[in-house]
Each structure stands twice: as structure tokens, then as C-alpha cells.
Amino acid sequence: MDFELSDEQRGLVDATRSLLASRSSVQRARALINGRDGFDAELWRLGSQLGWPALAIPEADGGLGQQPIDLALVAVELGRGLAATPFVPTVVVADALTHFAHDSKAKLLQSISEGSLVASWAFAEAGQPWSPAGVRTRAERDGDGYRLSGAKASVQDADGAEVLLVDAVLEDRPARFLVPADADGLRIARQQTLDVTRSYCDVTLSDVVVPSDAVLATGDEAQRSLGRTLRLNTVLVCAEMVGIGERLLAMTVDYVKDRVQFGRPVGSFQAVKHKCSDMRIRVQASTAATYYAAMTLERADAEHAVSVAKAYVSDAVSRVAGEALQLHGGIGFTWEHDLHLYLRRARVDALLSGDAREHRERLCRMAVTAAQS
């Protein structure tokens, strides 16, 4: 597998990194803590001008027609910069839209491409696994439309979105609905989470009535679409963790070079060198696993590659964060230092899209199935 970036991909990474260096900072992320805004609207506007939300939307629908790996490259940079944008949920919804002939598809994709429409994916439910089996939200036919009832948790940037992709169960089969965020009976409340620089919301649907054209897919079609959405979302969460790991490694190496103890830089001690080496190995392995998963999303073995990536990256980057905290010593525990903000996001990302344990269980089930076939 060739992990070398093309000239076009290198240009995307450089442009994204340059924008984040000039327009985004940890200080801007701190300003969002306990604030009204769930994300940095100005950064999102500028990122949209670079083409972030349009990357994987087909050219026929007003996008740039790129691949999931290009989305992953942007997600890595957003993780490195601790950027607060609705990138992941918006591109995940856009990807789902591109595969169906929905009445409002062209308008929605065009608006997403331009950055004028923020979308979010309402899937996870409290106390349930991050899988289709965990969906308990119900949809019932109501005249010419549908009535939705249920509750979703950890919906990123729902309080800043105009439309939600809601997964539900219709007649004991999966179904996907596009629901306006201001629909009657729909309530959005921001959660208090470990990641204080990003908005995660509870979404409650109390007899929300939607028209018949709100259905994106049902039955087997919805099952396939949901599986693709889950895989893409998982890869992008992994990519963000890779960026976080890269930044934590860089912060730690810089610190141990400057911190002097017993008349010598801390980084000159062999034990510290070993820890930094281990951190680098984990970050590089996480990068390889994530890029491979992103490049296999269209293949039959995509589910296996995605679960391998999430199981490994969740643990690896969490360990990198722990080592970074230890090597920073007392200052790493202070509110004023930036390290804890990266650690917080790493811990939350490790749980989103299923934690390492859940994905290891999936891999075991795949191995058993393969052995029996």
C-alpha cells in the first residue's frame, strides 16, 4: 500500500495547515468553552472556501469529487489544530445524501458544498452500542408522512445544524430520515462532556411529524447506507485522533528538550527518550492503520480494516496522551496548559463510533464467521 501523498493531496494538507495556523488556535478553542457558539463559524466559513465540505461530494452534485482519504487528511489537520468545526458530521451526512435520489438532494448538497448548510448525524443512543442494533428510535406511518419518537445522544454540533440525519426503526427495519433541526417536537440540549471545546448534544424527538419525502432510505437500502456512514464516521474520528497524537508528540518533545532537571535537559535521559520513541511508534502505526482504512472504504474488507483502525488508534492515542501528561509533569495538570484540551478530545474520540473493546469484539466475530465459512 502506497502511503505517499499526491501533489494534490499535499496541497490540500498544506493549505489546511496554513489556514489553521493563521486563523485557528487553542485560544480560539478555549473561547468556545461554555459559550453560546458550538463551533468556530469563521473558521468553518474559511474552510468551506478551501473546499472542506465539498471534497467527497461528486462533481455532478456541485462538489470536488475526491475520495474518503482526502476527508481523512483534513480531519488529521483539524485534530492537530484542535479545531472546533462541524466537519465530520456534515461530510458524513453529505456522503449519505450522494447515494440516493432524494427530492432535495441537489439543493442540500449544493448548500453543504458552499458551507451555507451545517448538517449533523443523529445516531447514537444512551446506553446502547454504537451499531444498528443500538437504534431504538421509532418511526411510524402518520397519514402521508411519518412520526418519529426517541432520543439521541452525543450528536455533534446539533445545536448549530439546520438539518439532522436521523436513524430510526420503521416496521422493524432500519430507516433514515432528514429532519429539520427546528421541527416541532424536536428538542436539542447541549451535553456537558469531557471535551469542553466541542458541542455534543442530546436530541429528543417527541412525536416529530415529517413528510413522506423526509425518508432517505428504508429496509436493506437503509442498512447498507447506515453501514457506510458508520465506517466513514469511524475513519474520520480515527483521523482526528491521529492529528491529536501528532500534536501531543510534538508538544512533549519540545517540552522535554527545554525542561532542565539535575543540570540536564529532561529529554537527555534514556527513560524519557524511550517514552518519546514509543509515542512516535504509536502515532505512526495509528496513521498507517487510519490511512489504510480510509483507502479501503469502497472494498469488501472495509469493515475489517475500519475496526482494526479504531481498536488500535483508540488505545494508542489514549496511551500517547497519558505519556504526554506524565512527561510534562505537574504543569500538564494545570488548566492554563493546552495539553489537557487535547487529552480531553482524545478520550472522547476514543469512545465515539465504538470504543476499542467494541471493535475488538467485532473483529472476533468476523474471525469466527470466516473460520466457519
Side-chain angles (χ1 to χ4, degrees), residues 94-111:
D95 180 80
L97 274 169
T98 60
H99 294 85
F100 299 103
H102 189 270
D103 292 343
S104 302
K105 171 182 173 179
K107 181 180 179 181
L108 288 171
L109 288 178
Q110 185 63 41
S111 297

Side-chain angles (χ1 to χ4, degrees), residues 241 248 312-324 343 346-347 350:
M241 283 193 284
L248 286 170
Y312 181 81
V313 177
S314 292
D315 272 354
V317 175
S318 292
R319 293 186 67 177
V320 167
E323 296 286 17
L343 186 150
R347 297 293 196 212

